[in-house]
Amino acid sequence: MGYKIVVVGATGNVGREMLNILAEREFPVDEIAVLASRRSLGSEVSFGERTLKIKDLATFDFTGWDIALFAVGSEATKEYAPKAAKTGCVVIDNSSLYRYDPDVPLVVPEVNADAVMGYTKKNIIANPNCSTAQMVVALKPLHDRAKIKRVVVSTYQSVSGSGKEGMDELWDQTKSIYNPVTEVPPKKYPKQIAFNVIPHIDVFMEDGSTKEEWKMVVETKKIVDPSIKVTATCVRVPVFVGHAESINIEFEEFLDEDEARDILREAPGIMVVDKREDGGYITPVECVGDFATFISRIRQDSTIDNGLNLWCVSDNLRKGAALNAVQIAEVLGQKALKKG
Ligand SMILES: NC(=O)c1ccc[n+]([C@@H]2O[C@H](COP(=O)([O-])OP(=O)(O)OC[C@H]3O[C@@H](n4cnc5c(N)ncnc54)[C@H](OP(=O)(O)O)[C@@H]3O)[C@@H](O)[C@H]2O)c1
């Protein structure tokens, strides 16, 4: 016996990936509904071998459905997630709306799977920001061994992290630079993204950091350990899919780079590719479509007492969003919504 699943935002980057992953991981689905805005009414999406017709979120009744995987942005989530949760359907949300709510668990199954059980307060579970998700998968096993004091992270984030519009802007701008008949001025991004990098994701905060950077700080504390200090610089780069991060970690205890490599090799969700030779590391184009968080360039930072540097790459639409949401649904099935 399986579950009745709703995918909300099924025409979007994350929604389509959630359908792929549910099919790839053979999630036990008895019935599935795919929702988007009225604009997409009647359009079709693939689910394994099947083709499904999009229904309108605004008129959908969630009563009797087990789990709703939301990927529609904060505004629509604010309106519809509480309605879905009220009917008894458990919402797993990709937006940032509920991440910092103390009554909503923020879950990365490799790190804090047990936190899922906190869903009962609101019937909602939050998925973290894409940059946080891959970073905490890497941090947790190292933190368990040598206790992390401080993390300095710089991100290289792909345009799919800002939805379909971001991908279209990079594509159209790139074409217009080669063929300058039509100019494509920045619209989704504050500056040209093609052949450029932009050190600005989400809005600016009072202290000069951006909201994306703030999210990495706050979410790491909520998921892994409130004592970990994080400072982040988040940068948008002209890559379609796959986020990369340069992570510098300061530990309380000394951790040798070889031991760190062994720990990461054994850790769930991680693939270590770390050869000190040409191409002996992973880049974003190689992680696309994969489930793993890839770790490369593991090396001691000899400028501090207990320091380590590493390079972390993952498919932001998968571990950063859709895969993590489906993994949460799997944990929920094992721990709470048992069937058959
Ligand atoms: N992309 C990532 O790496 C990533 C990572 C983590 C979290 N997230 C979060 O996941 C969510 C979706 O992101 P995305 O990248 O998939 O965006 P996207 O590609 O732009 O897709 C947005 C989806 O939401 C639907 N939608 C928007 N407004 C709606 C409304 N009022 N009613 C019903 N449906 C509505 C769209 O339907 P139509 O096609 O009908 O407009 C579409 O299916 C966002 O909250 C984002 O912050 C994304």
Side-chain angles (χ1 to χ4, degrees):
M1 201 178 158
Y3 296 88
K4 290 181 72 177
I5 302 288
V6 190
V7 174
V8 186
T11 53
N13 277 341
V14 175
R16 278 178 285 127
E17 209 57 72
M18 290 199 293
L19 289 165
N20 291 337
I21 291 169
L22 286 167
E24 279 170 38
R25 292 173 77 93
E26 298 178 350
F27 189 89
V29 173
D30 267 2
E31 213 176 316
I32 189 157
V34 286
L35 315 182
S37 76
R38 199 159 292 142
R39 295 180 290 274
S40 303
L41 206 60
S43 60
E44 292 177 338
V45 289
S46 300
F47 173 56
E49 303 287 294
R50 292 164 62 189
T51 300
L52 307 172
K53 269 207 166 22
I54 294 288
K55 293 178 180 157
D56 183 4
L57 169 61
T59 55
F60 188 78
D61 181 1
F62 287 86
T63 310
W65 292 81
D66 297 308
I67 299 172
L69 300 163
F70 266 67
V72 286
S74 293
E75 227 171 275
T77 303
K78 195 173 184 179
E79 182 167 0
Y80 298 105
K83 284 185 188 163
K86 219 173 172 184
T87 67
C89 177
V90 181
V91 170
I92 300 173
D93 179 35
N94 273 285
S95 82
S96 58
L97 190 70
Y98 291 103
R99 289 180 195 154
Y100 320 109
D101 183 331
D103 291 338
V104 173
L106 179 63
V107 178
V108 174
E110 293 88 341
V111 180
N112 64 340
D114 289 346
V116 159
M117 293 312 290
Y119 82 93
T120 49
K121 286 188 184 147
K122 285 199 170 162
N123 245 5
I124 299 174
I125 302 168
N127 220 23
N129 179 260
C130 38
S131 325
T132 311
Q134 69 184 65
M135 183 171 79
V136 297
V137 168
L139 295 184
K140 169 70 173 160
L142 302 176
H143 183 59
D144 287 346
R145 160 65 183 80
K147 200 155 196 304
I148 295 172
K149 278 165 70 176
R150 178 171 185 252
V151 174
V152 183
V153 55
S154 298
T155 69
Y156 306 73
Q157 296 181 223
S158 68
V159 294
S160 57
S162 28
K164 288 181 290 187
E165 289 173 9
M167 297 179 88
D168 289 347
E169 191 153 313
L170 173 59
W171 178 247
D172 293 340
Q173 246 172 31
T174 305
K175 282 191 298 180
S176 80
I177 286 168
Y178 281 115
N179 179 17
V181 181
T182 45
E183 202 187 322
V184 181
K187 200 166 128 203
K188 180 76 183 171
Y189 298 114
K191 296 206 182 209
Q192 177 184 314
I193 183 64
F195 304 99
N196 201 9
V197 296
I198 307 173
H200 171 193
I201 302 179
D202 210 329
V203 296
F204 275 94
M205 315 277 290
E206 243 174 50
D207 68 354
S209 60
T210 63
K211 187 91 182 272
E212 186 81 355
E213 290 155 0
W214 176 86
K215 286 174 190 170
M216 291 193 80
V217 175
V218 177
E219 293 178 18
T220 301
K221 286 177 183 289
K222 183 163 175 180
I223 298 165
V224 189
D225 187 334
S227 73
I228 298 177
K229 291 178 182 162
V230 179
T231 180
T233 302
C234 292
V235 181
R236 189 71 69 193
V237 297
V239 167
F240 281 104
V241 180
H243 286 1
E245 295 171 348
S246 158
I247 306 176
N248 175 267
I249 310 166
E250 185 179 357
F251 297 94
E252 277 190 4
E253 291 168 37
F254 179 75
L255 178 59
D256 176 73
E257 60 189 24
D258 291 331
E259 190 186 348
R261 198 172 293 110
D262 289 344
I263 290 170
L264 291 167
R265 275 209 182 95
E266 296 299 314
I270 290 178
M271 181 79 78
V272 174
V273 178
D274 192 20
K275 291 191 185 143
R276 293 174 174 182
E277 61 188 36
D278 289 357
Y281 44 80
I282 289 284
T283 60
V285 289
E286 295 155 287
C287 78
V288 177
D290 222 300
F291 287 150
T293 293
F294 292 90
I295 309 292
S296 308
R297 307 284 326 275
I298 302 162
R299 63 209 190 275
Q300 227 78 50
D301 172 7
S302 56
T303 65
I304 49 175
D305 281 346
N306 302 318
L308 210 65
N309 286 309
L310 53 86
W311 174 248
C312 172
V313 176
S314 197
D315 182 329
N316 54 293
L317 299 177
R318 291 198 156 213
K319 187 59 206 167
L323 169 62
N324 199 69
V326 173
Q327 286 177 300
I328 292 174
E330 290 169 352
V331 174
L332 192 65
Q334 289 152 15
K335 288 186 187 288
L337 309 182
K338 295 197 179 88
K339 292 272 179 174

